[in-house]
Amino acid sequence: MPSEPTVRSILRARGIGRRFAGVTALDGIEADIRAGEVLAIVGENGAGKSTLLKILSGVLAPSSGSLEEVDAQGRARELRLRNVAEAAQAGIALVHQELNLAENLDLAGAILLGREHHRFGWLDTRSMQAEAARWLARVGLDLDPSTLCGSLPIAQRQLVEIAKALSANARILILDEPTSSLSARETERLLAMLDELRRSGVAIVYVSHHLDEVLAIADRAIVLRDGRMAGTLDRASMDRATIERLMVGRDLPPTTARPSLDGAPARLVVDRVVSAHRRQRPASLTVRRGEIVGLAGLVGAGRTELLEAIAGLGHASGRISLDGRPLTGTIAERVARGLAIVPEDRARHGLFTLDPVRTNVSMAWLPRGAHAGMVDHAGERDLVVGMITRLRLRPADPSRRVQTLSGGNQQKTILGRWLAVEPSVLLLDEPTRGVDVGARHDIHEAVRAAATAGCAVLFASSDLEEVLLLADRIVVMHDGAIAGEFTRDTATEVAIMGLATGGTLETAR
Amino acid sequence: MGAGYPCCARLRGMTIHRTVAVLATAFSLCTAMAIAPTADLVAAQKERIAGYAKQPMKSPHLSFVSNGVADFWTIAKAGSLAAGKDLGCEVTVVFPGAGLSDQKRMLEDLVIRGIDGVSVSPIDPKNQMDVLNQIAEQALLITNDSDAPGSPRLCYIGMDNYLAGRQCGELARKGLPGGGEVAIFIGRLEQDNAKRRWQGFVDGLLGRSVDAERRDDHTKPFTEAGYTIVGTWTDSFDRAKAKANIEDVMTRYPKLALVTGLFEYNSVLAVEVFRQAGRTGQIKIAAFDEGADVLVGIREGIVLGTVVQDPYGYGYESIKLLHALTQGKLDAIPKDGVMNIPARTITKDNVDAFWSDLKAKLAAGKAAK
Amino acid sequence: MRKHWGLLGIFMVVCIVTALYGKNFLTAYNLMNLVQRTALFSILALGVGFVIGTGGIDLSLGSVVCLVGIAVPWLLIEHGWSPWAVVPIVLAGSALIGLAHGLLVTRLRLQPFLVTLCGLLLYRGIARWMTGDQSQGFQGEFADLRSIAVGRIPVPGLETFRLPATTIPLIVLAVIAALFLTRTVWGRWLLATGSNEAAARYSGIPTARLVTGAYVACSLLAGLGGMLFIFDVGSAQPSDFGNFYELYAIAAAVLGGCSLRGGSVSVVGIILGTATLQVLRNSINLLGLGSQLEFAVIGAVLLAGVAADELVRRWHAARLERRGAG
């Protein structure tokens, strides 16, 4: 065990505030970032986390208060960051929620982007690869530096991003929702690596919705609500209930009880379907009317491919039926039959980001409300306003571009699009990735309500907590095949993990 | 399709032999700067002709190359093919449709095909010396319609554009004896024949002495002898643009008394625009070439008259001369190296006879696809 | 309309400058000419607007104009067909060309740029081959048919200004296009497809059909435009008729606020963009600037217009960002 490094302040936020066109987004934030410590920043979306991160990383300047750099002797000096480059100069690096690696570069090129080694103007590939290999080892990745970034799974790309930040001499590493795309195993590995970095004296600012992770790794936590400090907690005072209460500012209502499914008829029947996943084996499953089935498994287990096969996206063999009639054809034809899919990658496959909430929500509903092909504008307005209220979408403004919404509200927008057409089958892929506690609760409740109304729900999630919370039945996938199944009563995190990582049902139980 | 179309020639010739030839030409074009000076190339051609005097070529392969695509050239094609038939030689007629580079490419292709003699209407001779030299080195080169001064061409067949322009200018002067505002429309002014024709028109209109070397500035309006030339408008062969030019000029110069279209379609569009605007007869038209609407306009009296070249003659005489040269008859070339085929002025008096003759020749050219 | 202030400003400036310093800009005759040219080019630009709306591009439009413009007099005069046969056949042919483009783009997943670039070469080549490179004209015949384009409709209350007949098809098409885009489900879906094709597909929108439809509309309008152009001009030469018209149409659409990334189309913007280009060409003549400068002036104004638009858009986005950030 390496010796515990000396913990000392290196950056302080002093009464930081930020106003946008007269609206206060952030006010009176105090933070003490210390070398060798993990500082968690938690809060619901819209609480001001992203604004604070932007100020810390030099994207935005504070409108009041200041940042202070503290040197080894404890002397504080005001730090004015005018842009990201200056923040990088000061040793501050932000690893984005949306990963930014250039897909066509190799690892060495990506890690040393902008700091390429060269000799007489020619790239010195060998020395670049040697250096890149050092940084990859530091984050626990054993990869050839000439691998293309585009070929890496998301979890590894995240680590590459961290390696990139470290290679740029970062002393303060800001991680924004780093585990939103990771499986439990990968999350564990990331946390272990962060612990390693903390020991080596790096200061880490960790932003996450996953309170488990915060509880596992943070030395201290700042809770934000509505742009203000709702509380500062140290290890001793940190517990789940306290954090949630501080974040939400209200006690979350208890989740709705699930009605009994006894005698409910099968609605969606998947019979020996083989999807485009390279190792997929025939998968069969049934979702009953009103039932919520969770697909658990590691990233890459073939869950997304299975959902897409059911939706008619991409090639697949096997038979699928809905309410006893075969479900075939293009996705457009299946949607006309009552199928709905909330995709995993909402920016790419879900949202019309430059368009307002209104058109995003009404997209699938349009033909229903149309008279002779003409859009019913009044009906559309009522629908959207109703959906905003029903899903607690914030801000409650139908003309707001979805690009400017938080992750949770973006997800609600896509969900609203489908709830508007009262689907028979609702497929959800990672329904609450990058979504905060309050919005997650709202989304789960909306899904439960849809199921209660008769919809057959099938969702995939890497978040075991969510699977256990939402599903009536859990189907576990491993390496392209269905590995086993649990009812809500028989499932435990350990048992699911066992199957998901290649164990058998017997060993799992 | 006839052999005259380069696309077909390309498809047919894609053999190893062809590839070698392409490479060889590419190489020789690269070294074009090192080609012998003009005088030497002329001498070389004459030497070749002397050789033909001893051993005349049997059915030589000759080519007629236009500077664009128009009915005018279709008639020239009829003339060329008729000569080919009369004299028993293979004739390839080529119409470059896309300007300078297209013509260059087609000429190069002809060289590669081993042509024996070429009559070309160069679009921009100063910038085409390389390829003209290239032809002269391997074949016999003459020019038609537009000359290439300083090139190794053996002869120029065509009308003197300056004189033809004068004929048109004199037509305008006769129709507008009291002077007035005159606008000139021409497809483009880059080529030598267009410049000379333009100058000829101006000199003829203003009643100046004959001087083909005179050069006025076409970019500025000027007044002389009671006539004001308000300007010259080009259109790079975009007809919608050419039409818009005439409309805009009518708008800008309400007192406009006469327009001339120095390329065929400029005249045709002038008739068209005046008809649409209901101003036929108010503004006079001195036309060039034999567009159908222009001839109709002459009949109706809304066009003063038109100056026509004899494209059939260009075609026929080109092939006839090239053929004579391949038989070793060097004296077929006129002394000064220019074979003048004069332009004619068509007015109400002779339009009908001209038209029926024209139709017959055009039909012959079209039939010869 | 709000997003066209920049363009409207440029349009007004060009008009005012020409009216002040040029000659007879505001005469009835000149205005009739401008309306006529704007109507003709707008029909082309509307078509390409649909394709741009889906995030595609159509470079073949000028060649379709040429093919149709050549085919109409060729069939009528050279082959003596009846106009009742020629007009429907030619329009159906244009629609088929669009269908081919659409299927190649959606089924074979070829790049629209590539497909229509090949079209650009192909249709002009066909036009030239079909006619043996002969120029084609009406030779003074079919005056009734041509009045569709060259006719002038008297306007009550105005003495000298008569409305060019081409404004009728333009108004009809513009109203249909505007209604389609803003009022119909398919119009909304078309724009959604342009703004995010994948998201549209995941929403159950039949994207392939919409994209194909846009190409059909584009080529059909190019065909209609080509027919009106040839009616207007009277004769055409296969080698140069309609050259660069695709670029005028695309430029007008982009100037009118259509994003080349897809997802936004404005009918008003397209017409205003076309009008700006046409007035600009007219003013170069009326101001006596010399046609040599024409392309340079158009290029400069286009660049200024697009740059101004981008700056306004950024400023607007920055304001939204400031207002919207949490």
Side-chain angles (χ1 to χ4, degrees):
Chain A
M1 272 247 128
S3 60
E4 288 292 316
T6 46
V7 173
R8 65 171 187 86
S9 295
I10 51 175
L11 186 71
R12 286 201 196 107
R14 280 289 170 85
I16 291 231
R18 172 76 201 195
R19 293 167 68 79
F20 292 105
V23 179
T24 305
L26 212 58
D27 190 27
I29 303 300
E30 299 281 342
D32 188 7
I33 297 167
R34 300 175 190 160
E37 257 194 20
V38 175
L39 172 68
I41 298 176
V42 288
E44 294 208 83
N45 280 324
K49 286 181 314 222
S50 52
T51 310
L52 180 57
L53 291 192
K54 281 181 185 167
I55 289 173
L56 289 178
S57 57
V59 178
L60 284 176
S63 20
S64 57
S66 60
L67 291 177
E68 276 178 2
E69 200 175 22
V70 185
D71 64 18
Q73 282 72 45
R75 285 181 304 232
R77 189 173 64 82
E78 188 175 350
L79 183 64
R80 280 176 193 277
L81 301 175
R82 273 171 303 191
N83 50 44
V84 182
E86 289 190 3
Q89 202 81 48
I92 303 170
L94 174 67
V95 177
H96 283 274
Q97 193 171 355
E98 315 287 332
L99 300 178
N100 288 332
L101 287 179
E103 303 220 343
N104 58 335
L105 288 182
D106 65 8
L107 291 180
I111 290 174
L112 299 173
L113 188 64
R115 288 171 288 117
E116 288 82 359
H117 298 188
H118 50 80
R119 198 181 283 170
F120 316 118
W122 298 91
L123 282 183
D124 187 348
T125 316
R126 195 179 302 172
S127 109
M128 278 174 73
Q129 296 202 343
E131 181 176 351
R134 272 207 311 283
W135 294 113
L136 288 170
R138 181 96 190 268
V139 296
L141 276 180
D142 180 23
L143 287 173
D144 182 348
S146 63
T147 315
L148 283 185
C149 291
S151 66
L152 294 185
I154 279 184
Q156 294 190 348
R157 285 197 216 184
Q158 182 121 42
L159 295 174
V160 173
E161 283 248 13
I162 294 172
K164 181 178 167 185
L166 292 176
S167 75
N169 257 334
R171 296 181 300 145
I172 302 173
L173 199 56
I174 304 176
L175 300 162
D176 188 8
E177 295 289 349
T179 60
S180 58
S181 318
L182 304 191
S183 66
R185 167 84 57 97
E186 289 160 345
T187 300
E188 216 167 276
R189 219 179 285 156
L190 176 76
L191 293 183
M193 198 273 300
L194 292 180
D195 187 43
E196 199 63 33
L197 287 177
R198 160 169 59 187
R199 284 167 199 283
S200 70
V202 175
I204 295 167
V205 178
Y206 193 88
V207 177
S208 176
H209 293 107
H210 295 275
L211 298 187
D212 298 349
E213 296 161 16
V214 170
L215 292 169
I217 193 158
D219 296 295
R220 285 172 309 121
I222 294 175
V223 186
L224 300 181
R225 187 172 70 236
D226 300 332
R228 293 186 169 76
M229 304 277 291
T232 311
L233 304 168
D234 54 25
R235 269 216 90 76
S237 57
M238 246 191 273
D239 68 68
R240 190 179 195 91
T242 315
I243 298 178
E244 274 185 1
R245 206 178 47 248
L246 287 172
M247 271 168 71
V248 183
R250 62 176 163 131
D251 287 319
L252 288 175
T255 55
T256 322
R258 300 286 299 135
S260 158
L261 290 165
D262 288 344
R267 201 145 205 204
L268 174 71
V269 178
V270 176
D271 184 15
R272 280 165 292 159
V273 163
V274 182
S275 74
H277 185 262
R278 74 198 143 81
R279 304 180 65 168
Q280 180 113 42
R281 277 155 284 162
S284 301
L285 61 87
T286 301
V287 186
R288 289 188 286 171
R289 201 183 158 84
E291 189 180 26
I292 303 176
V293 174
L295 274 177
L298 301 179
V299 170
R303 296 167 303 166
T304 297
E305 289 82 355
L306 183 58
L307 290 181
E308 293 191 337
I310 298 171
L313 293 154
H315 290 283
S317 64
R319 273 180 301 177
I320 301 162
S321 64
L322 170 61
D323 292 334
R325 277 174 53 212
L327 187 65
T328 55
T330 62
I331 178 166
E333 290 166 276
R334 296 182 197 210
V335 165
R337 289 274 313 277
L339 178 129
I341 180 165
V342 176
E344 177 181 18
D345 187 338
R346 49 174 177 264
R348 264 177 65 197
H349 298 144
L351 295 168
F352 306 95
T353 47
L354 297 178
D355 294 334
V357 170
R358 179 174 55 84
T359 50
N360 270 277
V361 167
S362 66
M363 198 58 75
W365 168 87
L366 288 176
R368 294 197 163 209
H371 305 292
M374 303 299 265
V375 173
D376 171 8
H377 282 93
E380 183 187 18
R381 201 170 47 239
D382 294 346
L383 170 90
V384 175
V385 169
M387 201 53 78
I388 286 174
T389 317
R390 182 166 151 196
L391 292 172
R392 298 162 48 88
L393 221 146
R394 294 291 174 270
D397 174 7
S399 62
R400 182 63 87 90
R401 280 186 183 196
V402 294
Q403 194 182 31
T404 64
L405 297 183
S406 67
N409 286 304
Q410 290 185 344
Q411 195 71 354
K412 285 178 179 179
T413 304
I414 303 176
L415 189 61
R417 179 187 302 161
W418 292 120
L419 295 182
V421 295
E422 294 158 345
S424 312
V425 171
L426 178 58
L427 308 174
L428 303 121
D429 200 353
E430 304 290 355
T432 61
R433 169 181 296 171
V435 167
D436 61 43
V437 181
R440 182 159 110 147
H441 180 80
D442 296 336
I443 290 170
H444 285 176
E445 280 301 291
V447 170
R448 285 190 192 101
T452 308
C455 180
V457 179
L458 179 62
F459 75 96
S461 177
S462 304
D463 182 350
L464 281 182
E465 196 186 316
E466 170 167 58
V467 172
L468 289 167
L469 203 62
L470 189 59
D472 297 324
R473 197 148 53 84
I474 296 154
V475 172
V476 185
M477 291 191 74
H478 168 67
D479 204 19
I482 290 182
E485 189 177 310
F486 299 96
T487 62
R488 176 194 282 274
D489 308 324
T490 57
T492 62
E493 284 202 25
V494 175
I496 296 173
M497 240 12 248
L499 273 192
T501 52
T504 63
L505 211 51
E506 285 66 39
T507 58
R509 278 178 184 142
Chain B
M1 294 291 319
Y5 291 86
C7 49
C8 300
R10 292 207 140 180
L11 288 175
R12 225 186 289 138
M14 264 306 164
T15 58
I16 291 176
H17 167 81
R18 154 98 183 181
T19 314
V20 171
V22 169
L23 290 174
T25 309
F27 177 74
S28 52
L29 286 177
C30 291
T31 56
M33 299 312 287
I35 276 177
T38 306
D40 293 358
L41 282 171
V42 172
Q45 288 181 82
K46 289 188 173 160
E47 205 169 293
R48 225 175 293 145
I49 294 166
Y52 296 145
K54 286 170 206 141
Q55 193 179 6
M57 281 189 95
K58 272 186 215 148
S59 81
H61 184 185
L62 307 174
S63 178
F64 185 89
V65 180
S66 78
N67 69 4
V69 184
D71 278 349
F72 179 86
W73 292 116
T74 307
I75 296 169
K77 180 176 168 187
S80 312
L81 296 178
K85 206 169 153 200
D86 292 350
L87 301 166
C89 50
E90 190 189 340
V91 175
T92 299
V93 181
V94 174
F95 292 173
L100 187 62
S101 57
D102 205 25
Q103 189 180 52
K104 177 170 183 285
R105 182 178 60 74
M106 289 176 170
L107 288 171
E108 286 164 10
D109 285 354
L110 286 172
V111 171
I112 289 165
R113 289 174 65 186
I115 201 80
D116 299 312
V118 175
S119 172
V120 57
S121 171
I123 293 173
D124 183 5
K126 281 199 188 104
N127 295 310
Q128 285 176 303
M129 270 322 154
D130 288 354
V131 71
L132 294 177
N133 287 342
Q134 188 68 32
I135 296 168
E137 208 180 15
Q138 302 204 3
L140 304 171
L141 174 69
I142 63 175
T143 52
N144 71 72
D145 177 51
S146 179
D147 199 5
S151 75
R153 58 101 176 129
L154 295 170
C155 181
Y156 164 60
I157 295 184
M159 126 194 115
D160 185 320
N161 268 291
Y162 176 76
L163 294 177
R166 276 194 77 95
Q167 274 175 268
C168 189
E170 281 154 13
L171 197 61
R173 186 179 174 84
K174 223 175 349 174
L176 195 68
E181 289 187 350
V182 176
I184 305 174
F185 298 94
I186 186 162
R188 56 180 171 211
L189 265 170
E190 284 89 341
Q191 61 217 54
D192 190 59
N193 63 346
K195 285 181 187 141
R196 290 171 65 91
R197 191 180 293 179
W198 182 88
Q199 189 63 49
F201 175 83
V202 171
D203 290 359
L205 175 74
L206 302 178
R208 292 167 170 172
S209 62
V210 176
D211 176 5
E213 299 312 310
R214 195 184 283 124
R215 285 287 176 268
D216 287 306
D217 181 0
H218 67 80
T219 62
K220 290 197 179 72
F222 61 95
T223 304
E224 189 177 315
Y227 295 93
T228 300
I229 292 174
V230 297
T232 303
W233 283 266
T234 59
D235 52 60
S236 307
F237 297 142
D238 177 347
R239 284 175 198 229
K241 166 81 179 152
K243 182 168 181 262
N245 277 344
I246 302 171
E247 290 168 349
D248 290 349
V249 168
M250 273 171 66
T251 301
R252 186 163 183 228
Y253 302 100
K255 286 189 297 183
L256 199 62
L258 182 141
V259 302
T260 185
L262 291 184
F263 281 9
E264 183 212 32
Y265 65 91
N266 296 117
S267 292
V268 171
L269 285 172
V271 176
E272 181 74 41
V273 167
F274 293 174
R275 274 193 212 280
Q276 283 180 17
R279 297 190 63 179
T280 43
Q282 295 172 20
I283 304 175
K284 298 189 167 67
I285 302 172
F288 221 99
D289 293 334
E290 55 280 355
D293 282 354
V294 167
L295 297 180
V296 172
I298 294 174
R299 254 190 200 157
E300 292 176 3
I302 60 176
V303 177
L304 293 172
T306 187
V307 174
V308 299
Q309 309 176 59
D310 182 7
Y312 190 89
Y314 296 176
Y316 197 96
E317 294 301 327
S318 285
I319 297 304
K320 193 174 153 198
L321 174 61
L322 285 172
H323 180 262
L325 296 179
T326 60
Q327 307 308 311
K329 297 171 189 156
L330 189 60
D331 54 359
I333 300 172
K335 270 236 165 60
D336 57 354
V338 173
M339 189 183 286
N340 191 25
I341 298 187
R344 292 168 64 196
T345 301
I346 306 296
T347 58
K348 212 166 180 175
D349 307 331
N350 55 358
V351 64
D352 289 323
F354 170 74
W355 204 347
S356 44
D357 176 50
L358 179 75
K359 275 181 182 164
K361 285 172 176 167
L362 193 58
K366 281 182 183 170
K369 275 199 172 180
Chain C
M1 203 55 217
R2 188 168 50 111
K3 62 186 217 190
H4 303 306
W5 286 126
L7 180 56
L8 195 63
I10 290 177
F11 178 75
M12 295 307 290
V13 166
V14 175
C15 284
I16 291 169
V17 166
T18 318
L20 287 179
Y21 299 101
K23 275 206 182 136
N24 301 320
F25 177 70
L26 293 175
T27 56
Y29 178 68
N30 193 50
L31 295 179
M32 282 193 307
N33 287 335
L34 285 175
V35 171
Q36 168 85 344
R37 295 171 204 166
T38 302
L40 286 170
F41 278 99
S42 288
I43 289 172
L44 305 182
L46 273 181
V48 84
F50 275 90
V51 168
I52 290 176
T54 67
I57 193 86
D58 190 344
L59 299 175
S60 72
L61 179 159
S63 292
V64 173
V65 166
C66 169
L67 185 57
V68 167
I70 294 298
V72 168
W74 187 67
L75 292 173
L76 288 174
I77 302 291
E78 297 257 314
H79 294 265
W81 290 22
S82 150
W84 296 105
V86 170
V87 172
I89 284 177
V90 158
L91 291 181
S94 328
L96 276 180
I97 286 176
L99 185 65
H101 292 168
L103 292 178
L104 287 169
V105 169
T106 57
R107 305 272 164 212
L108 223 55
R109 306 267 165 93
L110 297 182
Q111 296 260 9
F113 187 96
L114 192 79
V115 169
T116 58
L117 180 67
C118 295
L120 176 146
L121 301 169
L122 186 62
Y123 311 133
R124 184 166 299 280
I126 290 176
R128 294 182 60 178
W129 165 78
M130 185 171 90
T131 57
D133 250 345
Q134 299 302 313
S135 71
Q136 303 292 318
F138 292 104
Q139 302 178 2
E141 293 179 53
F142 294 101
D144 291 349
L145 189 60
R146 290 187 57 197
S147 66
I148 296 173
V150 299
R152 297 284 184 271
I153 303 159
V155 182
L158 291 179
E159 283 283 304
T160 45
F161 184 86
R162 283 162 305 138
L163 196 65
T166 44
T167 28
I168 305 286
L170 174 67
I171 290 169
V172 170
L173 289 169
V175 168
I176 291 175
L179 283 179
F180 175 82
L181 288 170
T182 59
R183 304 271 154 168
T184 69
V185 174
W186 286 73
R188 290 272 289 271
W189 280 2
L190 184 92
L191 296 182
T193 302
S195 85
N196 187 344
E197 216 258 6
R201 201 151 35 86
Y202 275 74
S203 303
I205 295 174
T207 52
R209 245 182 272 171
L210 283 160
V211 170
T212 309
Y215 282 95
V216 171
C218 180
S219 295
L220 185 60
L221 289 184
L224 179 68
M227 202 154 73
L228 294 175
F229 265 110
I230 190 68
F231 287 163
D232 182 42
V233 181
S235 70
Q237 193 166 299
S239 55
D240 50 48
F241 193 62
N243 251 345
F244 287 127
Y245 285 13
E246 61 280 343
L247 295 184
Y248 285 122
I250 293 167
V254 172
L255 202 55
C258 300
S259 161
L260 284 176
R261 291 183 206 96
S264 78
V265 178
S266 157
V267 171
V268 175
I270 287 173
I271 296 175
L272 193 56
T274 310
T276 306
L277 284 182
Q278 292 309 319
V279 170
L280 208 54
R281 296 177 82 179
N282 176 248
S283 65
I284 289 164
N285 273 338
L286 295 193
L287 292 171
L289 290 182
S291 42
Q292 293 86 351
L293 261 180
E294 179 182 326
F295 284 132
V297 171
I298 289 179
V301 170
L302 251 177
L303 205 56
V306 175
D309 250 24
E310 178 65 23
L311 289 176
V312 169
R313 201 188 59 73
R314 275 195 204 171
W315 174 78
H316 194 68
R319 220 178 48 165
L320 270 184
E321 164 94 349
R322 262 180 280 141
R323 209 176 45 178

